[in-house]
Amino acid sequence: MAKLTLDGREIEAPEGAPLVQVIKDAGVFISNLCYIDDLPPYAGCRTCLVEIEGAPTLQLSCTTQIADGMVVRTDTRPAKDARKAVLSLILSYHADRCLTCHRVVKCKPGDTCLRDDVVTHRCITCSKNYRCELQTTCEMVEMAGFEPWEGEDRTYYELQQPESDRANPFLEFDPQMCIICTRCVRACDQLRHTGAITLAGRGFSTRIEFGAGGPVHDSNCDFCGSCIDVCPTATLMEHPNKWSATETERWAPTTCTSCSVGCSINLGTRKGRGVIVRPDTAANPVSDKQICVRGRFHYDAVKPKQRLSQPLIRRNGGQEEATWDDALEFTAARLTEIRERYGPEAIGFLGSPLATNEENYLLQKIARAVVGTNNIDSTAGAVARAAASSLRAAFGSEVLPADMTQLARSKTLLVIADDLESSHNVACLRCKDAVVNNGARLIVVSARRGEMCDFADVWLQPRPGEEAAVVAALADAVGGKAEPRPLSPQVAQALPAAVELLTAARDPDSSGSRPLSVVQALPHLGAQEAGATTAAAANLAVAALGKEAAGSLFVLPQEANVWGMRDVGATAEYLPGYHLTGDDSARKTLEQAWGAPLPTASGLTFEQMLSDDKLKALLILNDNPLFFAPAKPRISEKLAGLEFLAVIDSLPTDTAQAAHVVLPDVGAFGKEGTITSADRRVLRMHAATPPQGEAQPAWRILGELGTRLAQRLKIGELRLNYESPSEIMDEIAQLVPLYSQATYREIESGAQQPLNGLGPNKAEIQSVATIAAPADDGFTLTTGRSLYTSYEGAALHSPEADKLHREEFVEIHPADAKELGIAEGDEVTLKGISGELTIRAHITESGQPRMLYVPLYYDGGAVTALFEDGQASAAVEAAAVSG
Amino acid sequence: MPGPQRPLIKVGISTCSRAVGAQETLDAVRKELADRGLEADVMVTGCWGLCYAEPIVEVAHPGRPAVLYGSLTADKVPQLIEGALAPDQVGVVPELALAVVGDEPLEGVAPLRSMEFFAGQERRLMANCGVSDPDSIDQYIARGGYAGLAKALGMTDEQVIAEVLESGLWGRGGAAFPTGRKWEFLRGAKVTPKYMICNADEGDPGSFVNRNLMESDPHLIIEGMAIGGYATGASYGYIYIRDEYPLPVERTETAVQQARERGLLGDNVLGSGFAFDLEVVRGAGSYVCGEETGLIASIEGARGMPKIRPPFPAQAGVFDKPSNVNNVETYANVPLILREGAAWYASVGSEKHKGTKMFSLSGQIQRVGILEVPLGTPMSDVVMGAGGGPPEGRSLKAVQPGGPLSGIVPASDVGIALEPEPFKERGMFMGSGGLVVMDDSSCVVDLAIYFEWFAEDESCGRCTTCFAGTRRLLEILKRISSGRGRSSDPEIMRLLADTMRYANCVHGQAAPTVVMTMFSFFEEELNEHLYNKRCPAKVCRELVRYEVVHHSDKLPEAEAICPTQAVVRENGSYRIDQGKCIKCDACREQAPYAIALVDEFGAM
């Protein structure tokens, strides 16, 4: 550490740090319009001039590195005057509508301009007004009294200004507001590794361009909005709600539930509606300053009025609005009736990875302690269960100590994911960080080409379904086993290069980098294959790293809270805290804690619940089988055959529409609670928006419903009513060691939780049952999460779900398209065993011949109709729609 | 070296001579020789620097001094061959001859030394220019080439640097930083590989000394870089040549290839175990790529923008490896220092500055060309003496010494010595050696507009102070030039100039120099524009108008040619309709006696 004097104050700072950062951290204002924290200085704006003792002239604080004994003054007259003079140059080519208006002192935010004849440009014509860094800087630097070119015509008004680009639904680009600070260029390149923004032209014509200078959506921009965060003016703005966001009233820290990375975000609201999202750097350190297009824009995919606002009961051939009392009584009565007639095993419960830990916990508590059944699962259960069981076989535990902040420090990376960029965008970003900033070597196992492949040293492209075999072959080779596995030729060819990199990963390294990280993104469908791939990935980690393996294996579920569900017992086989339902002593402890007897019979998984007709009633919390579950026609039929179906959801999903009772929940941004990320961080969600109509948060609905059920079923003293989710978490903390420090009083949102004995206790190789690749003659259909479509929008079949319309296609390889006589945009019919789908074709080489890909979220999960139970891919027939 | 056994004809082929038909001259010489069946050797050479007299052909008979013939276009070739080579002739054609390459007159032709252009010259760097074939490594070696490198390889790296330090050589690109010191920085860098970079992005309008060196003697630069590489531990070099210089690229690439073939570049230079190789990189056409860090960025394939310092190139230059950037002319000095010794090198020059410097003369001057004089030579000797001063009937107004950012020296100061200090004292830079001469037909405000426009247009776009500052200056200057100047303008321009000094690189820092020199030396002329709305040189178009001042027979022709019918005939006499006139000057060309350019007050 070096000692320096800043404006007469003695402070300490790391030697060599940029002075501007130190000044900012010390809480002293210094104008700087181009510096980005933690990136090398650009030194373009030249406004951060300070006086440094011994230096002949004023120095830029961004390019000055801290040295011991430095004496810095920011507040001298020459420094202040120089900063003003430089800033006045910036203002010469920027609109001054908000700065020079003589009425500006009289106006309040949101005032409509009275517009007298002197006021030609109005501050209210800029959507960054009142939240503009340039504006704030001008105020702080006291530009008001500094008018060196009094009576000057500003260059800005002398020139024809370029048109702004408002053609895409996410990002507005208004070049006339640009001050060429190039923060966006550097954020896109150095923080996101996307490089969609460039500096073009020269001299005064220097300008920012997306891609080759066309519209933003023609560039490779993927709308993460990182550039918006760093833009000091109104040049780059969110398109939705940008005017409303000018008057943001409240900021609520919460968590994005679009995937299992669990990015921390701040949601700004106005009049109870979300209007803006910014990354929340105070919580999850994995996301830190970065989120993706989903986190930033999907808050707005569904309008409040599209949400359920009233309980609904199926009556007179339709769902009719009902009071809460009626709906809850009706539900409790029906469940009681069915339990009495068929026994507790006839009732099933579906929790959801989209619900909070508290809600899932409460749901399983009702199932077990009130209804008396272990029939609790979700549509995401099968894949998670298969992966978890492979992890248990390898490490004796499914709770791994892996920490995603370490991804960026990896030296070697193996990414097993169909398209990590789309499914887990920020995790993918951290892998790219490792490649770009840490020189990591990257091996990608992916059937389709994703952006990750551009960063990869080796891309192994398996046939769909061949992933497990490929990873197993890698594990064998690294472990020194020479078990020949038949592999596709393109994989076999690239395999030795991958093996070489993985073997080299074990070499000792003094840089402090992590030797190897294995990242597996779990698919939505295909439990068996997912489990095999996880087993193979675990084998590889063990073969390469031995006892350290568990800390280097990252198994990322698709949906937000999959691991949390299992942690709190919302799964058939485990009580909260990973005690098997058959474990008598654990059950007794829980019975004591809850004060109610618990069932001994093992529970049904989701697939088992609907495999025969024994199940008569189903209570679904936030899950959506008609969206996510394969074999949709059969599921639909089964749900219709139930005597009673109750759904707790905030949206009228397909599943909710089939229900006898719908209990309106609030959306993710209206909830208090926690979710658990892929690397076991417990993340707080704070209610940012008020409930729509009479909707209630699910924990309250469950509490009320559970209480009524308990009364009817005459269960004794059992706590089901809580004042807040905080009290539920207190109870979870008692039962699940992993959450012992997650009570709302103690929780540090975003911190990894101590494993408290739940962690790995061995590192073993297991045998991997690889599945034979599908026969080559037919088409193999795969699906997965793509980047742009919002779940909530898709669940409503909203045409707005994919605002860019980038995912409303079946991807077909050019060779197949030629054979089928299909041109880009033609309609194609895909026929599976139990369903068919007509969709437009997108001809691309991102896949492989004989492989088709339809995004899972297309049209409310329409593609799941073509899949059979347990399949990761489906054999389909494809044909052009004639005419 | 024994003299030629047959007559030898040398034709200088360089960019400037090609522009006036040297290639055709060469073809004609060959054809004429063949047609006449005459025996003679024809050789292509570089350029003497006599740009005003191109194409130049030299004819040498065995045992006699060679004679230079100037302005020898293809049509004069038969006369030359007839006179100089036909068996019954004396071998000299005095009416075409420029000078004798020797000390005594020959057949009435004066020796080279007696020419004003050559009088004050000390041709060391240019010793081979126009004399030897740039594409022949043998000729270079025969004239002492690569002896410096051989000598250096026999010394330690410290000794080489000491020799360069002792010579007093400093960077010729404009910064005037001691070359030996710069090399010491690179030698001290721990990281390898290290790079030697030659800055041949000669972008200053009016500067063409580097081009001449590369076209006429490319091996000199390669040898200098190899010596630099040996002294500093650099193993690779880049010669960054601007893309507008196709011939230097061609000749330098040929030279590099030849040097490789002879083992003068490669894994084992001259068997010494020292490894050094280099390549020619073609510049992407931006003025700021001539700034050393901008050049480094350009070599890396990035946008040509000067980088932030620190780190300095000697710490992290091209590809973040230690690098040294010197100008073409700087490198060219090095082989001579090594070959002849520092003492010899320092034998010419002024008290403080040793050695010679090349200058290119252009603009409103009688003799455009390239010459080499000892440092400290009065600028008047070069401009008025060698260059002959402005065209007849004109008087000298100013000299711009080294590029558009260097400022302008007023005629009253033309006698200052050509070394850095006198320029620095006047708030200017000596620059890289492009002397652009302006006569009294130039207007200082108009010049400032051009130079600020240039600075603005070539700004890389990083620093606000640069791209917006130059723009503001330009706007204010244009306003003054159009008669709308305000009394507050000088103050604003001074404030702008002060602010612009906070730019990252020298381009932005030096951009206001021309305006500041205008304040220092041409304030009267500026004030004429500002307060009296008058352009004394009658250049600023909005401050002048055309008037019919006499009657003349040519006026109908002026009327006919006017594209806007602004020359109006009324009652037999003519007048100019000022509302229609677009000041194209066409009428005055037709009727120069009758129509005149007058200022606001009607004064001619």
Side-chain angles (χ1 to χ4, degrees), chain B residues 29 301 353 372:
Chain B
V29 166
H353 300 281
E372 183 182 354

Side-chain angles (χ1 to χ4, degrees), chain A residues 640-669:
Chain A
L642 290 172
E643 289 190 15
F644 183 65
L645 175 64
V647 172
I648 301 172
D649 209 312
S650 73
L651 295 170
T653 62
D654 293 352
T655 309
Q657 286 178 23
H660 297 95
V661 172
V662 182
L663 303 171
D665 186 8
V666 298
F669 293 114

Side-chain angles (χ1 to χ4, degrees), chain A residues 434-475:
Chain A
V435 173
V436 177
N437 300 335
N438 205 33
R441 315 301 299 269
L442 171 66
I443 302 148
V444 172
V445 178
S446 161
R448 286 170 65 229
R449 181 181 194 90
E451 222 174 86
M452 250 334 212
C453 299
D454 296 337
F455 289 77
D457 292 283
V458 181
W459 173 27
L460 300 170
Q461 191 184 18
R463 296 283 305 153
E466 199 189 8
E467 289 86 351
V470 171
V471 181
L474 287 174

Side-chain angles (χ1 to χ4, degrees), chain A residues 660-684:
Chain A
H660 297 95
V661 172
V662 182
L663 303 171
D665 186 8
V666 298
F669 293 114
K671 281 184 182 182
E672 288 290 331
T674 60
I675 62 164
T676 303
S677 73
D679 55 348
R680 291 305 199 291
R681 294 171 196 277
V682 178
L683 302 155
R684 272 289 263 136

